[in-house]
Amino acid sequence: VIIVLDQAGALKKVQVVGESGVSDLDEAAVEAFRAAEPFPNPPKGLIEADGTIRIEWDFILEASISEPDLSRRYAQLE
């Protein structure tokens, strides 16, 4: 995701540049930035010549599937 802010920290643009393959996740990332704005006091060193701040954010989603604990179920059957 690339976000573009103005020099005051207001969100100007959010763009997904690498889709996850799950549109709901991509949209959740965009909505998270929209909900979090404004971003107060951005560092002056990040302001580009055109007065904007461009930040690239990468997200890593880790998921695992765990096997259910069947020991209780087997104990009830005995």
Side-chain angles (χ1 to χ4, degrees):
V1 174
I2 293 179
I3 64 168
V4 180
L5 309 173
D6 67 15
Q7 51 191 310
L11 186 65
K12 293 182 72 170
K13 181 180 179 180
V14 182
Q15 179 181 3
V16 175
V17 293
E19 295 180 359
S20 69
V22 179
S23 60
D24 287 345
L25 288 177
D26 297 339
E27 187 58 32
V30 170
E31 289 304 317
F33 284 108
R34 289 183 180 148
E37 80 157 317
F39 299 89
N41 303 317
K44 301 295 181 201
L46 294 179
I47 301 173
E48 297 183 13
D50 65 358
T52 63
I53 299 166
R54 288 177 180 79
I55 301 172
E56 184 174 335
W57 290 83
D58 294 322
F59 292 90
I60 298 173
L61 174 66
E62 293 184 21
S64 64
I65 299 174
S66 59
E67 295 183 25
D69 182 7
L70 299 177
S71 60
R72 283 189 240 157
R73 191 170 293 184
Y74 289 133
Q76 292 174 349
L77 295 176
E78 293 178 353

